[in-house]
């Protein structure tokens, strides 16, 4: 079996683990179905596969790191699902990879620096996820990169100048808009993709009294104190480097009850103490003094 094309049907169920036994499979196209479940680790045994299209279903869970063993893979289309977890760094091992399309999932973590080693990579779309951090400088080394869609995440500066000055990125809009053609700056938005997709006007300035929290925003908001603290949490590395005392910063409770945060009686923020200390620990320290 070399080609499996089942897209746009009413098939239900999950991707069977036995798919890994189809060692000669070159095209695995099962998009726009009613699939659930996860991507099996056995997909890494498809050493001949060139095209994996599993978009437009309800597939959940993580992209297995074993996918890095698909040594002939050229295209990975898994957008518009319910995928979570990180983008696996093992994708950077697939020297043949040309297209990575993962938009509209629930992926977290940082953009893998390892993708910058892929000399044939021309399209990366990871927009509309929950990715944090900044764009790795290594992405500026991808000579064939033409489309880089990362809007609608929680990314912050800097944007590598090598991308802003690349005249091929996103339809050549970098010639006119520079870094805005990669991601809209703070205080600006683009409802289509979070970058200067409008060839005439570029990113749109937020209305008075509103702004954006991250680069590449698709809408503006009225910023709350909690929003500013969320940005601080993301920029400082979020849960990857903060201890358990920082986990409260992801909760729905009022920010004055977050560890390390001190407020006036009226709720006005006074200070933030690092390293973060819980209110219970603060009381213990005061008693010891």
């Amino acid at each position: 079996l070399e080609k499996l094309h089942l897209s746009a049907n009413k098939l239900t169920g999950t991707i069977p683990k036995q798919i890994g036994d189809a060692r000669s499979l070159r095209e695995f196209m099962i998009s726009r179905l009613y699939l659930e479940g996860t991507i099996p680790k056995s997909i890494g045994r498809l050493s001949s596969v060139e095209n994996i299209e599993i978009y437009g279903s309800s597939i959940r869970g993580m992209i297995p790191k074993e996918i890095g063993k698909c040594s002939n893979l050229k295209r990975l289309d898994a957008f518009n699902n319910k995928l979570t977890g990180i983008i696996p760094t093992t994708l950077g091992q697939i020297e043949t990879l040309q297209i990575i399309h993962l938009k509209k999932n629930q992926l977290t973590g940082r953009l893998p620096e390892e993708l910058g080693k892929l000399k044939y990579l021309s399209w990366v779309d990871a927009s509309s996820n929950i990715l944090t951090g900044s764009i790795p400088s290594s992405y500026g080394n991808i000579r064939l990169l033409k489309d880089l869609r990362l809007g609608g995440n929680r990314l912050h500066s800097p944007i590598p100048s090598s991308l802003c000055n690349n005249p091929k990125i996103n339809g050549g809009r970098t010639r006119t808009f520079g870094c805005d053609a990669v991601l809209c700056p703070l205080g600006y938005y683009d409802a289509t993709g979070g970058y200067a997709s409008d060839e005439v006007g570029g990113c749109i300035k937020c209305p008075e009294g509103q702004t954006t929290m991250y680069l590449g925003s698709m809408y503006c908001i009225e910023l709350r104190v909690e929003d500013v603290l969320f940005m601080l949490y993301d920029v400082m590395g979020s849960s990857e480097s903060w201890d358990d005392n920082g986990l409260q910063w992801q909760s729905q409770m009022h920010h004055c009850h977050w560890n390390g945060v001190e407020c006036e009686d009226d709720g006005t923020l006074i200070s933030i103490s690092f390293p973060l200390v819980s209110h219970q620990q603060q009381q213990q320290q005061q008693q010891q003094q």
Side-chain angles (χ1 to χ4, degrees):
L1 182 65
E2 293 188 355
K3 297 181 180 181
L4 182 60
H5 294 191
L6 298 173
S7 297
N9 281 295
K10 296 183 179 180
L11 296 175
T12 60
T14 62
I15 302 174
K17 296 179 181 179
Q18 292 80 2
I19 191 64
D21 296 332
R23 303 295 180 89
S24 299
L25 194 64
R26 292 190 295 108
E27 296 183 4
F28 183 38
M29 303 169 70
I30 55 169
S31 298
R32 292 173 291 160
L33 301 175
Y34 295 88
L35 298 180
E36 298 180 335
T38 61
I39 303 173
K41 295 180 180 180
S42 61
I43 201 168
R45 299 206 303 266
L46 300 179
S47 57
S48 299
V49 73
E50 298 177 1
N51 191 354
I52 296 178
E53 293 188 10
I54 52 175
Y55 62 85
S57 289
S58 296
I59 299 172
R60 55 181 170 76
M62 301 179 67
I63 303 172
K65 63 181 180 180
E66 287 80 5
I67 200 169
K69 298 177 182 178
C70 297
S71 56
N72 285 292
L73 186 63
K74 295 179 180 179
R75 181 177 188 128
L76 173 61
D77 277 323
F79 63 92
N80 201 14
N81 277 294
K82 298 179 180 180
L83 296 172
T84 56
I86 65 171
I87 300 174
T89 59
T90 53
L91 287 176
Q93 300 173 7
I94 309 174
E95 297 180 358
T96 55
L97 201 53
Q98 300 174 14
I99 295 173
I100 301 174
H101 201 171
L102 300 172
K103 73 177 181 181
K104 292 186 179 179
N105 279 290
Q106 300 164 28
L107 298 170
T108 56
R110 296 174 177 261
L111 291 161
E113 185 175 349
E114 289 80 0
L115 299 186
K117 300 183 295 184
L118 300 177
K119 59 183 178 181
Y120 298 113
L121 193 62
S122 63
W123 178 299
V124 177
D125 190 341
S127 58
S128 298
N129 279 286
I130 320 173
L131 299 172
T132 56
S134 56
I135 303 175
S137 58
S138 62
Y139 287 24
N141 301 327
I142 309 174
R143 296 180 60 184
L144 296 182
L145 188 62
K146 293 182 179 179
D147 292 278
L148 183 62
R149 312 293 171 83
L150 301 173
N153 282 292
R154 298 181 179 180
L155 301 177
H156 58 79
S157 59
I159 300 174
S161 59
S162 51
L163 290 174
C164 303
N165 299 326
N166 186 336
K168 298 182 295 184
I169 295 294
N170 293 342
R173 291 179 175 84
T174 44
R175 298 192 195 98
T176 303
F177 301 109
C179 290
D180 290 9
V182 181
L183 290 172
C184 290
L186 293 178
Y188 290 77
Y189 75 101
D190 175 85
T192 302
Y195 67 99
S197 61
D198 186 336
E199 295 183 3
V200 179
C203 298
I204 302 171
K205 186 175 177 60
C206 288
E208 185 175 351
Q210 295 186 3
T211 188
T212 58
M213 290 178 63
Y214 306 101
L215 300 182
S217 293
M218 298 182 182
Y219 55 88
C220 301
I221 61 172
E222 294 182 7
L223 209 60
R224 309 168 301 160
V225 173
E226 286 88 350
D227 296 325
V228 177
L229 294 178
F230 277 141
M231 284 191 288
L232 176 65
Y233 184 78
D234 286 337
V235 170
M236 293 185 65
S238 64
S239 58
E240 295 178 6
S241 59
W242 293 37
D243 59 23
D244 291 342
N245 285 330
L247 298 181
Q248 266 190 328
W249 285 46
Q250 293 280 350
S251 70
Q252 297 299 316
M253 68 175 63
H254 192 275
H255 66 269
C256 289
H257 298 290
W258 294 358
N259 291 333
V261 175
E262 184 179 1
C263 294
E264 295 279 12
D265 292 338
D266 62 0
T268 302
L269 178 66
I270 301 175
S271 65
I272 305 172
S273 301
F274 293 95
L276 297 179
V277 177
S278 69
H279 293 287
Q280 182 179 3
Q281 289 172 324
Q282 284 180 329
Q283 292 175 354
Q284 292 175 349
Q285 290 176 357
Q286 291 173 355
Q287 293 174 355
Q288 291 174 356
Q289 293 175 356

